[in-house]
Amino acid sequence: QFITGNPDAGLDWPVRLLVLQDASGAVYAAYTDFAWIARRHGITNRGEQFKTASSVVASITGAVNGTTADKR
């Protein structure tokens, strides 16, 4: 549904989620923020879909014990 909003959005799909651990043992999740993707590609008619996608990635990153989400 995102790519049908603007085919150029295919540049940012699929969204990747990187989970990494630093030298002190802290675990982080980094991913591209869905709102940024929507703004980048001028997608204004898929708000509910982006909201759902954001909820899904929040549940994934929240499942990693001690994760700090780092949206880039």
Side-chain angles (χ1 to χ4, degrees):
Q1 294 181 356
F2 306 107
I3 296 174
T4 60
N6 180 346
D8 292 343
L11 293 169
D12 292 308
W13 293 97
V15 171
R16 292 158 192 88
L17 176 64
L18 175 65
V19 178
L20 54 126
Q21 185 174 21
D22 68 16
S24 70
V27 176
Y28 300 89
Y31 60 95
T32 303
D33 181 54
F34 293 100
W36 180 86
I37 294 171
R39 284 191 310 274
R40 177 180 185 197
H41 299 290
I43 301 171
T44 58
N45 61 347
R46 301 288 194 277
E48 284 302 313
Q49 292 87 348
F50 277 99
K51 182 178 176 181
T52 299
S54 294
S55 295
V56 169
V57 80
S59 70
I60 293 169
T61 58
V64 177
N65 191 20
T67 294
T68 300
D70 181 15
K71 296 182 267 185
R72 298 179 187 209

